[in-house]
PDB file of all heavy atoms in Angstrom:
ATOM      1  N   ASN J 410      88.945 205.639  91.028  1.00  0.00           N
ATOM      2  CA  ASN J 410      87.962 206.624  90.594  1.00  0.00           C
ATOM      3  C   ASN J 410      88.076 207.008  89.131  1.00  0.00           C
ATOM      4  O   ASN J 410      87.196 207.649  88.571  1.00  0.00           O
ATOM      5  CB  ASN J 410      88.067 207.884  91.466  1.00  0.00           C
ATOM      6  CG  ASN J 410      87.966 207.544  92.926  1.00  0.00           C
ATOM      7  OD1 ASN J 410      88.893 207.789  93.696  1.00  0.00           O
ATOM      8  ND2 ASN J 410      86.865 206.939  93.315  1.00  0.00           N
ATOM      9  N   HIS J 411      89.214 206.616  88.496  1.00  0.00           N
ATOM     10  CA  HIS J 411      89.397 207.014  87.107  1.00  0.00           C
ATOM     11  C   HIS J 411      89.149 205.862  86.157  1.00  0.00           C
ATOM     12  O   HIS J 411      89.319 206.007  84.957  1.00  0.00           O
ATOM     13  CB  HIS J 411      90.823 207.526  86.883  1.00  0.00           C
ATOM     14  CG  HIS J 411      91.159 208.682  87.760  1.00  0.00           C
ATOM     15  ND1 HIS J 411      90.696 209.950  87.516  1.00  0.00           N
ATOM     16  CD2 HIS J 411      91.864 208.752  88.897  1.00  0.00           C
ATOM     17  CE1 HIS J 411      91.133 210.746  88.456  1.00  0.00           C
ATOM     18  NE2 HIS J 411      91.844 210.063  89.314  1.00  0.00           N
ATOM     19  N   LEU J 412      88.738 204.723  86.733  1.00  0.00           N
ATOM     20  CA  LEU J 412      88.594 203.521  85.918  1.00  0.00           C
ATOM     21  C   LEU J 412      87.630 203.756  84.759  1.00  0.00           C
ATOM     22  O   LEU J 412      86.516 204.231  84.960  1.00  0.00           O
ATOM     23  CB  LEU J 412      88.092 202.362  86.792  1.00  0.00           C
ATOM     24  CG  LEU J 412      88.308 200.962  86.230  1.00  0.00           C
ATOM     25  CD1 LEU J 412      89.794 200.669  86.125  1.00  0.00           C
ATOM     26  CD2 LEU J 412      87.626 199.934  87.103  1.00  0.00           C
ATOM     27  N   GLU J 413      88.088 203.406  83.560  1.00  0.00           N
ATOM     28  CA  GLU J 413      87.221 203.602  82.388  1.00  0.00           C
ATOM     29  C   GLU J 413      86.685 202.295  81.831  1.00  0.00           C
ATOM     30  O   GLU J 413      85.596 202.243  81.271  1.00  0.00           O
ATOM     31  CB  GLU J 413      88.004 204.335  81.291  1.00  0.00           C
ATOM     32  CG  GLU J 413      88.272 205.785  81.624  1.00  0.00           C
ATOM     33  CD  GLU J 413      89.090 206.488  80.572  1.00  0.00           C
ATOM     34  OE1 GLU J 413      89.398 205.882  79.525  1.00  0.00           O
ATOM     35  OE2 GLU J 413      89.434 207.655  80.802  1.00  0.00           O
ATOM     36  N   VAL J 414      87.488 201.225  81.950  1.00  0.00           N
ATOM     37  CA  VAL J 414      87.061 199.948  81.384  1.00  0.00           C
ATOM     38  C   VAL J 414      87.247 198.858  82.416  1.00  0.00           C
ATOM     39  O   VAL J 414      88.318 198.750  83.027  1.00  0.00           O
ATOM     40  CB  VAL J 414      87.919 199.590  80.143  1.00  0.00           C
ATOM     41  CG1 VAL J 414      87.543 198.216  79.619  1.00  0.00           C
ATOM     42  CG2 VAL J 414      87.756 200.635  79.061  1.00  0.00           C
ATOM     43  N   ILE J 415      86.220 198.036  82.625  1.00  0.00           N
ATOM     44  CA  ILE J 415      86.363 196.880  83.493  1.00  0.00           C
ATOM     45  C   ILE J 415      85.697 195.678  82.834  1.00  0.00           C
ATOM     46  O   ILE J 415      84.562 195.758  82.362  1.00  0.00           O
ATOM     47  CB  ILE J 415      85.803 197.134  84.913  1.00  0.00           C
ATOM     48  CG1 ILE J 415      86.045 195.906  85.787  1.00  0.00           C
ATOM     49  CG2 ILE J 415      84.318 197.466  84.886  1.00  0.00           C
ATOM     50  CD1 ILE J 415      85.821 196.146  87.260  1.00  0.00           C
ATOM     51  N   ARG J 416      86.446 194.573  82.776  1.00  0.00           N
ATOM     52  CA  ARG J 416      85.871 193.347  82.197  1.00  0.00           C
ATOM     53  C   ARG J 416      86.106 192.211  83.173  1.00  0.00           C
ATOM     54  O   ARG J 416      87.242 191.837  83.431  1.00  0.00           O
ATOM     55  CB  ARG J 416      86.537 193.030  80.856  1.00  0.00           C
ATOM     56  CG  ARG J 416      86.262 194.080  79.794  1.00  0.00           C
ATOM     57  CD  ARG J 416      86.678 193.609  78.415  1.00  0.00           C
ATOM     58  NE  ARG J 416      86.666 194.721  77.485  1.00  0.00           N
ATOM     59  CZ  ARG J 416      87.747 195.296  76.943  1.00  0.00           C
ATOM     60  NH1 ARG J 416      88.924 194.833  77.233  1.00  0.00           N
ATOM     61  NH2 ARG J 416      87.643 196.312  76.125  1.00  0.00           N
ATOM     62  N   ILE J 417      85.030 191.694  83.734  1.00  0.00           N
ATOM     63  CA  ILE J 417      85.145 190.613  84.724  1.00  0.00           C
ATOM     64  C   ILE J 417      84.238 189.463  84.319  1.00  0.00           C
ATOM     65  O   ILE J 417      83.531 188.879  85.139  1.00  0.00           O
ATOM     66  CB  ILE J 417      84.800 191.105  86.149  1.00  0.00           C
ATOM     67  CG1 ILE J 417      83.648 192.115  86.100  1.00  0.00           C
ATOM     68  CG2 ILE J 417      86.005 191.719  86.803  1.00  0.00           C
ATOM     69  CD1 ILE J 417      83.242 192.611  87.470  1.00  0.00           C
ATOM     70  N   ASP J 418      84.310 189.119  83.035  1.00  0.00           N
ATOM     71  CA  ASP J 418      83.446 188.056  82.506  1.00  0.00           C
ATOM     72  C   ASP J 418      83.605 186.782  83.307  1.00  0.00           C
ATOM     73  O   ASP J 418      84.707 186.404  83.709  1.00  0.00           O
ATOM     74  CB  ASP J 418      83.833 187.772  81.044  1.00  0.00           C
ATOM     75  CG  ASP J 418      83.915 189.046  80.225  1.00  0.00           C
ATOM     76  OD1 ASP J 418      82.953 189.813  80.263  1.00  0.00           O
ATOM     77  OD2 ASP J 418      84.943 189.256  79.569  1.00  0.00           O
ATOM     78  N   GLY J 419      82.490 186.123  83.541  1.00  0.00           N
ATOM     79  CA  GLY J 419      82.518 184.813  84.174  1.00  0.00           C
ATOM     80  C   GLY J 419      82.549 184.820  85.684  1.00  0.00           C
ATOM     81  O   GLY J 419      82.491 183.758  86.309  1.00  0.00           O
ATOM     82  N   ALA J 420      82.638 185.981  86.302  1.00  0.00           N
ATOM     83  CA  ALA J 420      82.717 186.007  87.764  1.00  0.00           C
ATOM     84  C   ALA J 420      81.330 186.024  88.395  1.00  0.00           C
ATOM     85  O   ALA J 420      80.337 186.309  87.738  1.00  0.00           O
ATOM     86  CB  ALA J 420      83.503 187.232  88.205  1.00  0.00           C
ATOM     87  N   ARG J 421      81.298 185.730  89.686  1.00  0.00           N
ATOM     88  CA  ARG J 421      80.047 185.866  90.433  1.00  0.00           C
ATOM     89  C   ARG J 421      79.985 187.296  90.960  1.00  0.00           C
ATOM     90  O   ARG J 421      80.896 187.751  91.635  1.00  0.00           O
ATOM     91  CB  ARG J 421      80.026 184.859  91.596  1.00  0.00           C
ATOM     92  CG  ARG J 421      78.819 185.007  92.506  1.00  0.00           C
ATOM     93  CD  ARG J 421      78.854 183.935  93.596  1.00  0.00           C
ATOM     94  NE  ARG J 421      78.734 182.606  93.018  1.00  0.00           N
ATOM     95  CZ  ARG J 421      77.573 182.043  92.680  1.00  0.00           C
ATOM     96  NH1 ARG J 421      76.444 182.705  92.888  1.00  0.00           N
ATOM     97  NH2 ARG J 421      77.542 180.843  92.149  1.00  0.00           N
ATOM     98  N   ILE J 422      78.922 187.965  90.630  1.00  0.00           N
ATOM     99  CA  ILE J 422      78.792 189.369  91.030  1.00  0.00           C
ATOM    100  C   ILE J 422      77.733 189.488  92.117  1.00  0.00           C
ATOM    101  O   ILE J 422      76.620 188.990  91.956  1.00  0.00           O
ATOM    102  CB  ILE J 422      78.343 190.246  89.841  1.00  0.00           C
ATOM    103  CG1 ILE J 422      79.249 190.018  88.647  1.00  0.00           C
ATOM    104  CG2 ILE J 422      78.289 191.693  90.214  1.00  0.00           C
ATOM    105  CD1 ILE J 422      80.591 190.656  88.785  1.00  0.00           C
ATOM    106  N   SER J 423      78.088 190.182  93.198  1.00  0.00           N
ATOM    107  CA  SER J 423      77.122 190.347  94.289  1.00  0.00           C
ATOM    108  C   SER J 423      76.509 191.742  94.225  1.00  0.00           C
ATOM    109  O   SER J 423      76.989 192.603  93.502  1.00  0.00           O
ATOM    110  CB  SER J 423      77.840 190.179  95.620  1.00  0.00           C
ATOM    111  OG  SER J 423      78.875 191.144  95.700  1.00  0.00           O
TER     112      SER J 423
END
Side-chain angles (χ1 to χ4, degrees):
Chain J
N410 306 119
H411 302 284
L412 199 65
E413 289 178 4
V414 176
I415 183 167
R416 295 192 192 110
I417 37 179
D418 310 309
R421 175 178 296 278
I422 308 285
S423 59

